[in-house]
Amino acid sequence: MNIAIFIADSNGAFPVPAVKGGAVATLVEHLVKEGNKDNDNKLTIFSYYDKNAFNISKKYSNTEFIWIKRPMIIKAFDRILFKGIQVLRKNKKSISYATVFSLCWYILKCSIHLRKNIYDKVILENNIPIAWIIKLSRYTGDYYYHFHNVPRINAKCKDVFAKCKGMLCVSKFVASQIKSKENAIGPVRKEQIKILYNCIDTEIFKIKNYDKCKKQIVEKYHLPVNKKIIVYVGRLSKEKGIDVLLQACKKLDREDYIVLIVGSFIQGVKAKDSYEDELLKLANDLKEKVYFTGYVNQEDLPTIYAGSDVVVLPSMWDEPAGLTMVEAICCGANLITTKSGGIPEYITNDDAILLERNTIDRYMTFYVDQILTQCRHSKKNVDICNDKFSTMNYYREFISILNE
């Protein structure tokens, strides 16, 4: 079976292999890794060109990569628009406009290619506007949309979604949202919906020695010794709830901790928005207890999870899935998160402390304090991680859906 996967975004132009990060790009690379061992199926990945990604792609001999190179003028237009949005709409989510012109270029180049080629299956990854690849190419073969988020627009492509062979959803929560006639692409027929839970690289995210990992992160990020470490991992955006975490820490009646904020506004770009300004003010209130690492490579995250005393991921929106939460528990970390969106499908009360969003102000400080006092790491989630969230299982489920 010949499978083409189209992956493009408007907030960073993340390539595959995922040398610049990006959750969706990383998941596609997991498919590539497992697909490279499969002689019965061949993947073709349509990716933004990146020199490092190009070099790494050579090790995937069973996968074809079609590289979309962005002209300098396109990149310049991206920078101008992004800067303009930051200035004119400081309180808005400007990251969504980081690579708009690159996205348009990608759609044009891919539609030209698809017009000339046929595949057994075509997968469109997440970004709604890339439905125009199907529209412009007038493609009539089987194609699927892979939803990693609940769609908020339809990009004037409802006809494309109506003819879609299947909708791959990362959770039942996402599926329930797109079924609704109120949704931008809805209503979607029940038979179109397929659930494909996300995965992590369980060879990387696994139990490690707590004392050794803690020493490593203390040395690497120049943290004070003999302090409990509270960790947040993810984007620095309002819906992720970092401000909620810092507000909770201000109420802690103890001095033996620091907070490590792991993540950035957008990988590789020195840019800030009003929310980051808010976080810096909260950090100043906590004096020298808060440390920002900036972007961290995925390979370095297991050490941070394993060396933490508690990981707090207080998602304040309807999170489609819970990948960061899964990474944390697979490394044996103590986890506090919220019952938001699809998170409870990935994480249960047996794995972590799950708080209702409307009660988080009352209980967050209590549970952080309790965990810091007990400070016990768990190994009970290892089998669950390997069985349910491995890349091998992810690839098998993916192929199984396409074979239905």
Side-chain angles (χ1 to χ4, degrees):
M1 182 164 54
N2 290 317
I3 305 165
I5 299 179
F6 293 90
I7 172 169
D9 57 78
S10 56
N11 61 0
F14 297 114
V16 176
V19 294
K20 292 185 176 180
V24 179
T26 299
L27 286 164
V28 172
E29 187 173 3
H30 290 330
L31 291 175
V32 170
K33 284 180 180 178
E34 295 299 331
N36 206 51
K37 309 169 191 173
D38 181 4
N39 293 323
D40 295 328
N41 301 290
K42 180 181 179 181
L43 301 181
T44 300
I45 310 297
F46 290 77
S47 170
Y48 286 117
Y49 175 79
D50 176 270
K51 184 177 179 179
N52 290 335
F54 173 77
N55 289 333
I56 291 175
S57 71
K58 294 176 183 177
K59 68 181 182 180
Y60 299 124
S61 57
N62 197 37
T63 301
E64 181 181 6
F65 288 86
I66 306 295
W67 299 103
I68 308 302
K69 294 186 177 182
R70 298 177 291 156
M72 294 299 294
I73 188 67
I74 295 292
K75 295 180 181 179
F77 284 154
D78 279 338
R79 289 192 295 269
I80 293 169
L81 177 62
F82 185 43
K83 188 66 176 177
I85 294 293
Q86 284 186 296
V87 172
L88 297 175
R89 303 179 67 187
K90 186 167 181 164
N91 294 323
K92 300 295 182 181
K93 194 175 179 182
S94 56
I95 189 174
S96 299
Y97 302 90
T99 50
V100 169
F101 287 100
S102 291
L103 176 61
C104 294
W105 181 256
Y106 177 94
I107 290 170
L108 176 62
K109 299 297 285 185
C110 289
S111 63
I112 292 172
H113 184 95
L114 193 57
R115 195 179 301 157
K116 299 175 182 177
N117 295 273
I118 191 76
Y119 297 90
D120 297 310
K121 307 288 180 179
V122 166
I123 313 297
L124 303 168
E125 288 287 345
N126 199 48
N127 200 5
I128 294 298
I130 64 174
W132 276 93
I133 295 172
I134 300 296
K135 203 161 192 171
L136 293 176
S137 66
R138 298 179 183 177
Y139 191 73
T140 57
D142 287 348
Y143 61 90
Y144 299 72
Y145 232 96
H146 192 176
F147 290 103
H148 298 263
N149 296 292
V150 177
R152 305 299 179 194
I153 61 172
N154 58 41
K156 297 186 177 180
C157 287
K158 283 197 84 168
D159 55 332
V160 173
F161 295 106
K163 297 174 184 176
C164 196
K165 175 81 172 178
M167 310 281 198
L168 281 59
C169 300
V170 298
S171 63
K172 293 176 183 176
F173 167 76
V174 171
S176 69
Q177 295 295 300
I178 67 172
K179 278 191 222 176
S180 168
K181 65 180 179 181
E182 280 76 35
N183 187 263
I185 68 163
V188 171
R189 299 188 311 277
K190 183 179 179 180
E191 61 269 22
Q192 285 180 289
I193 301 230
K194 314 291 179 184
I195 307 299
L196 179 62
Y197 287 114
N198 287 341
C199 71
I200 63 170
D201 190 340
T202 51
E203 294 181 4
I204 295 176
F205 293 98
K206 58 186 178 182
I207 299 292
K208 302 178 78 172
N209 182 271
Y210 164 76
D211 292 320
K212 183 178 179 181
C213 289
K214 186 165 187 175
K215 182 180 178 182
Q216 287 176 352
I217 60 178
V218 165
E219 291 176 352
K220 182 170 184 176
Y221 299 108
H222 308 290
L223 307 178
V225 297
N226 301 322
K227 295 285 187 180
K228 309 284 188 182
I229 302 177
I230 303 169
V231 166
Y232 164 83
V233 175
R235 291 195 319 273
L236 303 190
S237 54
K238 183 76 175 177
E239 66 269 19
K240 295 295 185 178
I242 312 103
D243 59 309
V244 176
L245 167 59
L246 295 181
Q247 291 284 8
C249 290
K250 287 172 68 175
K251 301 174 189 176
L252 284 170
D253 186 21
R254 60 195 302 160
E255 296 295 325
D256 62 339
Y257 75 92
I258 58 101
V259 183
L260 192 65
I261 307 293
V262 181
S264 63
F265 173 57
I266 177 173
Q267 194 275 332
V269 176
K270 293 181 179 179
K272 289 196 288 187
D273 63 2
S274 59
Y275 183 61
E276 284 197 77
D277 292 335
E278 179 185 342
L279 293 182
L280 290 174
K281 289 176 183 176
L282 286 170
N284 288 334
D285 291 342
L286 285 162
K287 297 181 180 177
E288 296 181 354
K289 286 189 172 69
V290 183
Y291 295 79
F292 293 87
T293 68
Y295 174 77
V296 171
N297 290 321
Q298 190 180 47
E299 292 77 12
D300 296 326
L301 289 179
T303 299
I304 292 174
Y305 289 130
S308 70
D309 292 285
V310 60
V311 175
V312 184
L313 303 170
S315 187
M316 299 304 289
W317 70 304
D318 286 327
E319 192 94 39
L323 261 191
T324 311
M325 294 78 178
V326 172
E327 291 173 355
I329 66 167
C330 287
C331 293
N334 298 306
L335 174 66
I336 300 174
T337 187
T338 56
K339 294 179 182 178
S340 301
I343 291 175
E345 297 177 48
Y346 286 76
I347 303 295
T348 69
N349 287 315
D350 292 331
D351 306 316
I353 294 172
L354 273 70
L355 301 176
E356 299 285 355
R357 294 203 305 248
N358 60 1
T359 65
I360 200 167
D361 290 339
R362 278 182 282 165
Y363 295 115
M364 173 75 80
T365 303
F366 169 79
Y367 282 113
V368 170
D369 184 65
Q370 184 183 67
I371 291 174
L372 292 184
T373 301
Q374 296 174 347
C375 197
R376 291 195 299 263
H377 276 219
S378 172
K379 296 183 180 181
K380 65 183 179 181
N381 302 307
V382 177
D383 291 338
I384 296 173
C385 291
N386 290 333
D387 293 342
K388 186 175 180 180
F389 298 116
S390 69
T391 56
M392 181 182 296
N393 184 66
Y394 185 61
Y395 181 76
R396 285 173 177 170
E397 291 295 319
F398 173 73
I399 295 298
S400 176
I401 289 171
L402 298 189
N403 279 326
E404 288 180 3

